[in-house]
Amino acid sequence: QWGNHDVLWIGAFAGSKVCLANIIRICARYNNLDIIEDVYGINLRPLLNLAEKYYDDNPVFRPKIHSDEPLSEADQLQITKIHQAIAMIQFKLESPIIKRRPTFNMSER
């Protein structure tokens, strides 16, 4: 049985930028960006540079951290900024899709 995350990974593999952005955002949210770089070989440095330049700390975008996985304040701040940057990229990629398909009933987004 396929789940939402499986479909996102398949979509990203097939070339969907919006699926890839969603995957990166979810990985940032749950402090799992290492899989993107280490396993899939996707360089996140350009995203980090963008995030460092334009975003600040925002508690809403802080990563969800397990108590057994400590994370330094500097790492939390870096992931928070990356999460914000990729969220904005994802929303900008989703907008044309939502406008193109009014039957999705997502115009409020």
Side-chain angles (χ1 to χ4, degrees), residues 7-88:
V7 173
L8 282 175
W9 282 102
I10 292 168
F13 179 77
S16 169
K17 291 177 184 175
V18 73
C19 286
L20 182 58
N22 197 358
I23 287 170
I24 295 171
R25 184 189 57 77
I26 291 168
C27 286
R29 181 70 172 156
Y30 294 99
N31 185 29
N32 199 21
L33 288 170
D34 56 335
I35 193 172
I36 300 294
E37 288 193 304
D38 298 341
V39 177
Y40 293 97
I42 298 172
N43 181 5
L44 294 177
R45 177 64 58 186
L47 179 61
L48 174 60
N49 291 341
L50 175 87
E52 290 287 346
K53 184 174 181 178
Y54 293 105
Y55 295 95
D56 293 315
D57 190 17
N58 184 332
V60 174
F61 290 95
R62 288 198 186 127
K64 303 275 187 200
I65 303 169
H66 300 288
S67 59
D68 59 335
E69 297 176 21
L71 197 58
S72 71
E73 279 294 321
D75 286 343
Q76 279 191 47
L77 180 58
Q78 192 176 64
I79 294 170
T80 299
K81 291 177 179 182
I82 289 171
H83 187 190
Q84 289 178 82
I86 196 62
M88 296 308 119

